[in-house]
Amino acid sequence: MQLNIYNTLTRKKEIFEPLHAPHVGMYVCGPTVYGDPHLGHARSAITFDILFRYLKHLHYKVRYVRNITDVGHLEHDADSGEDKIAKKARIEQLEPMEIVQYYTLRYHKFMDMLNVQPPSIEPHASGHIIEQIELTEQILKNGYAYESEGSIYFDVEKYNRDHGYGILSNRNIEDMLNTTRTLEGQKEKHNLIDFALWKKAQPEHIMRWKSPWSEGFPGWHCECTAMGRKYLGEHFDIHGGGMDLIFPHHECEIAQAVALQGDDMVHYWVHNNMITNNGQKMSKSLGNFITLEEFFTGNNPLLTQAYSPMTIRFFILQAHYRSTIDFSNEALQASEKGLERLREANVRLQNLKPSDETTIDMKNLRTRCEEAMADDLNTPTVISHLFDASKAINTVYDGNGTVSTSCLDELKAVFKLYIENILGLESETQSNVNEKAFHKAVDLLLSIRQETKANKDWATSDRIRDEMSKAGFKIKDTKDGFEWSL
């Protein structure tokens, strides 16, 4: 079975043909570690976890590189944006690498809960400064960059004349020149659309390194090009990330690679779409931002309950990775019920007794699931096929049909392969059940406290609060009720 995958660069589905089969090189842009991971992080991680799992199912040997961005100025306004990690370090009076370590561990914890497999290599941007300096030196030598006041900028206009800039995002450089806004501290550029390969650090900038041009830090776009090249070579198969990275990040990566070595490093560019809330992108500024921890505890005013990690994973997989997903409690509750139905059918499947013949339609389940996965990782269709099979399983379980030994064995194998191995939907363990029961008990106790406050029974209300505080709970009363954490 051949994988057809949508290539953002060519804007069409293509048959996946590795450069050096059976080996596959895949690079995915990982998190910037200055805050807790959110639903957008989960979607990207789960999307490429599915691709990682499916490529291995096709018997490819995959080297999967997912970076950690720990040089915190790296944002869309990379040349002038504030260093997010350094800002957090100043506020909390910590070393920047303490912030990095704390949130990297948090990210790993939540990815484990979502059953996202770890990458083969997880390089840190701060651990590859030498490679980023070398990349900058070579681009300078090739004539596609210039020095200005200790900083090095990529000459987009010159590059565009020779190679064409904007091929991934389908943008026109003349339009960009006319619409790019002037940002503070960018007068040293030849053109506003030029981007930094190396920035001279201002006195207040904490994270800085020595270079041939100044004491400073690498530009945002350098890290992935430098680390991808180091670990996957001058040409590799797949580069992925969220659609919000297409421009400027991945567009600039293509320009850097071509300016560096004469051609693009990447064969297939793959991007997952966004998660929205009432049609708007989730963001802190809009007040519709929910972290993964808040989803798992239910401690956010936008949530009506807590949701398990597997419910979140199932919710994400019910939409194709290139389509948007709109968050709502109703959609998550529907996912919770759907996942439970699938799990119940799987449990029933394990307990079915074989008969001499099969009287239900269970043909070609494996083939149909395989065709859906091969069609650009169509997980919603795979789930639909599994639900159809679940109806047949329930028919046999209720005594209205029979299934032969060979058919039963095939069903069990397909359910295990797709539910567990490829979709990565873990069974509800006893620890998961215990955690959900624990959260419900705490919410019930705090709801009782709310009632005692409403009845002006201050003694009971204070007693519940004080005893829970002694037990290690942090309780915060809000206008919508309460929030708690351990």
Side-chain angles (χ1 to χ4, degrees), residues 343-382:
R343 281 175 169 160
E344 184 179 357
N346 197 16
V347 171
R348 288 181 169 185
L349 172 62
Q350 308 311 314
N351 294 322
L352 291 184
K353 303 298 181 185
S355 298
D356 294 334
E357 62 176 349
T358 299
T359 61
I360 54 172
D361 182 12
M362 304 292 278
K363 294 179 181 178
N364 303 321
L365 177 62
R366 184 188 293 269
T367 299
R368 285 183 285 138
C369 289
E370 194 76 23
E371 287 173 349
M373 283 301 299
D375 183 19
D376 197 25
L377 309 177
N378 198 332
T379 57
T381 300
V382 172

Side-chain angles (χ1 to χ4, degrees), residues 227-377:
M227 292 188 289
R229 195 168 191 251
K230 176 169 183 174
Y231 295 110
L232 298 174
E234 293 185 359
H235 301 96
F236 56 89
D237 299 295
I238 299 168
H239 195 326
M243 281 190 178
D244 58 334
L245 296 178
I246 291 176
F247 186 86
H249 188 45
H250 289 164
E251 193 72 75
C252 293
E253 280 195 59
I254 289 175
Q256 285 173 161
V258 175
L260 180 70
Q261 62 186 41
D263 58 1
D264 188 18
M265 294 181 184
V266 181
H267 192 180
Y268 302 91
W269 287 89
V270 180
H271 296 89
N272 64 274
N273 215 320
M274 301 294 101
I275 293 181
T276 58
N277 188 343
N278 292 322
Q280 292 181 308
K281 181 181 176 182
M282 281 191 166
S283 70
K284 289 182 179 178
S285 61
L286 294 173
N288 63 2
F289 183 85
I290 308 174
T291 68
L292 290 178
E293 181 174 50
E294 289 169 338
F295 274 107
F296 300 157
T297 62
N299 289 336
N300 186 295
L302 296 174
L303 300 173
T304 58
Q305 66 177 77
Y307 298 97
S308 73
M310 286 304 101
T311 298
I312 297 296
R313 187 178 178 102
F314 190 67
F315 168 69
I316 288 171
L317 293 178
Q318 282 185 292
H320 190 270
Y321 77 91
R322 287 194 287 113
S323 66
T324 57
I325 307 177
D326 198 50
F327 154 80
S328 71
N329 282 283
E330 292 76 16
L332 280 169
Q333 288 161 3
S335 293
E336 188 174 57
K337 292 175 182 176
L339 179 58
E340 187 54 40
R341 288 201 307 272
L342 200 59
R343 281 175 169 160
E344 184 179 357
N346 197 16
V347 171
R348 288 181 169 185
L349 172 62
Q350 308 311 314
N351 294 322
L352 291 184
K353 303 298 181 185
S355 298
D356 294 334
E357 62 176 349
T358 299
T359 61
I360 54 172
D361 182 12
M362 304 292 278
K363 294 179 181 178
N364 303 321
L365 177 62
R366 184 188 293 269
T367 299
R368 285 183 285 138
C369 289
E370 194 76 23
E371 287 173 349
M373 283 301 299
D375 183 19
D376 197 25
L377 309 177

